[in-house]
Amino acid sequence: MRVGEEYELQCDWTLHTVAKSVVVRLYRGEHLVNTTIITDSSNSSDRKSYKFKIHPKKTDDGAQYCCEAQLELGEGPQPPPKVTSESLSITVHYGPFINETKLPSIVSVFRGSPVVIVCEAEGNPEPTISWSVNSTDIVYSETLTITDSTPEDLLCIASNSVSTTIRYVKVSIQDISISTGKHTGPMIVGEEYELQCDWTLHTVAKSVVVRLYRGQHLVNKTIITDSSNSSDRKSYKFKIHPKKTDDGAQYWCEAQLELGEGPQPPPKVTSESLNITVYFKPIINETKLLSKVPVFRGYEMVIVCEAEGNPKPTISWNLSTTNIVLSETLNITESTPKDLHCIANNSVGITTRRVKVVLKEDYLPLIAGLVAITVAFISVIFIFIYSIYYKTAKMGRYNLKDAKLSPQNGDIAQNGKDNSIPMKKLTFASRNKRFSSFSNLAICCLNAQRKISDRTNVEVMTKKT
């Protein structure tokens, strides 16, 4: 039998009885399906029959039906006599039923992330499953791997001897991208640009949160409300004002579904990174290049003009209307013009730094000579003062002619000057001997003195003890 068609189950019986009627019942298992009362006044034993109409379902496959005939005797024995047939098992065939819960009509695929979808079908006989990827490509399998290159329209085909069932599947690429919109080429510092996020999300979500990131830093976000529930591609533009530090920065977009009580965390899709190039006009390093540069007469000096910029700037020195030096460094002397201009130039703009050369005299040799003279003068004064101090403190003048012993000073001879000569008191013999020696020494000294000068005093320098 097949589901959806009508069939008859015939109950045949032979009962010899005086009963005027027979109750015929049809059972499906233990369940009463139908009942009828057959009235017969012939009172014969001929075989009789009755046909019950059924409409089998797929759940009736393998069901067992049976008939029961019961006599209606009125006041006869109770319970009334009855007879039951053997069971009849039926086979029910039905066409394939594809499981739409496991295979939705729209399958979302994130770009770069393949998804495996399954087509399950129930039927009797068991159906064969195939996928129609395009008009010529048929895949005989319950599963199919889809990527962002899979055709948008797919067919799952479940077939058996009863019928063929087809499930249409639409592939929706969940995608998001970032671009600079209509702008092409490098960006310029100080100007405004738009970064455009484009996405395709097929979802029942009423809103999408779109975020713009610079590296790992969240730059901006917005909430897009959409009640159309369509899979059309949508976009949003973020405004940025790039700085010179943004050169080479990576921007990317993220779209997150707002599902309310849906899965947590909410599904989201992320774009690839967009590298931006930022150009800016030259910036001259004013710390290394002062506005006034002193130059000493007779000396040469090297000054440096460094500039930062993107693209890398070219550096030149403008010495006059006809004298241009293409170099970062410049040698300046007393003959160099007083007004110089360092020019840094790239495709974005030109930056000029005015430098004034200040000529100065070199007073260093004069200062060094004055310092040397001052040091020499101070040295002479010091030596003079030191010699006077040394002669007074370390040396004395003595006169041996009038030296006398002083008992109060322990027989120390005093000569009436600023110092004394220590002398030891001797015995008479020793004194005579030493006196003789001193006398001879004194005579020698006097003779020598007379030969040198008429001076009568002999100056003897001796160290103090």
Side-chain angles (χ1 to χ4, degrees), residues 344-372:
N345 181 21
N346 65 8
S347 60
V348 181
I350 299 175
T351 303
T352 302
R353 174 72 166 169
R354 183 173 180 270
V355 178
K356 186 175 183 62
V357 177
V358 180
L359 185 62
K360 291 188 175 183
E361 297 293 338
D362 186 11
Y363 296 102
L364 184 60
L366 180 60
I367 294 174
L370 291 176
V371 170

Side-chain angles (χ1 to χ4, degrees), residues 157-171:
I157 304 171
S159 179
N160 63 8
S161 60
V162 178
S163 64
T164 298
T165 303
I166 297 176
R167 174 71 166 169
Y168 292 90
V169 177
K170 185 176 183 64
V171 177

Side-chain angles (χ1 to χ4, degrees), residues 16-226:
H16 185 80
T17 176
V18 295
K20 298 301 182 184
S21 62
V22 176
V23 179
V24 182
R25 299 182 179 91
L26 176 66
Y27 287 89
R28 180 183 181 276
E30 299 298 326
H31 173 68
L32 176 62
V33 177
N34 207 343
T35 182
T36 188
I37 298 176
I38 306 297
T39 301
D40 185 12
S41 59
S42 65
N43 195 21
S44 68
S45 59
D46 295 338
R47 194 167 183 81
K48 300 178 178 60
S49 66
Y50 186 81
K51 295 178 180 179
F52 291 97
K53 296 182 183 298
I54 64 171
H55 300 83
K57 304 175 183 178
K58 66 177 183 177
T59 55
D60 290 333
D61 182 51
Q64 292 185 334
Y65 286 84
C66 68
C67 294
E68 179 186 86
Q70 179 179 304
L71 304 177
E72 287 293 326
L73 299 176
E75 298 179 354
Q78 298 296 328
K82 61 182 178 181
V83 61
T84 303
S85 72
E86 293 182 353
S87 296
L88 171 68
S89 182
I90 66 171
T91 299
V92 180
H93 284 181
Y94 53 93
F97 290 88
I98 295 176
N99 189 334
E100 296 182 357
T101 302
K102 290 189 176 181
L103 184 62
S105 60
I106 299 177
V107 178
S108 298
V109 180
F110 290 96
R111 189 174 299 278
S113 301
V115 174
V116 178
I117 56 177
V118 180
C119 182
E120 290 185 358
E122 178 188 3
N124 195 15
E126 182 178 357
T128 57
I129 308 296
S130 63
W131 289 94
S132 176
V133 179
N134 51 48
S135 58
T136 58
D137 191 5
I138 305 296
V139 178
Y140 289 93
S141 173
E142 287 189 354
T143 61
L144 179 67
T145 301
I146 57 177
T147 64
D148 48 14
S149 62
T150 302
E152 186 178 4
D153 295 316
L154 303 175
L155 296 177
C156 172
I157 304 171
S159 179
N160 63 8
S161 60
V162 178
S163 64
T164 298
T165 303
I166 297 176
R167 174 71 166 169
Y168 292 90
V169 177
K170 185 176 183 64
V171 177
S172 175
I173 303 299
Q174 307 287 80
D175 182 30
I176 186 169
S177 63
I178 184 172
S179 67
T180 55
K182 297 180 180 180
H183 175 76
T184 58
M187 299 181 180
I188 307 299
V189 170
E191 298 185 9
E192 184 180 76
Y193 298 89
E194 290 180 339
L195 294 183
Q196 180 172 314
C197 298
D198 301 286
W199 69 92
T200 302
L201 294 172
H202 186 89
T203 175
V204 295
K206 299 302 182 184
S207 61
V208 177
V209 180
V210 183
R211 299 181 178 91
L212 176 67
Y213 288 87
R214 179 185 182 274
Q216 299 302 317
H217 173 67
L218 176 63
V219 178
N220 205 345
K221 74 173 183 177
T222 187
I223 299 178
I224 308 298
T225 302
D226 182 17

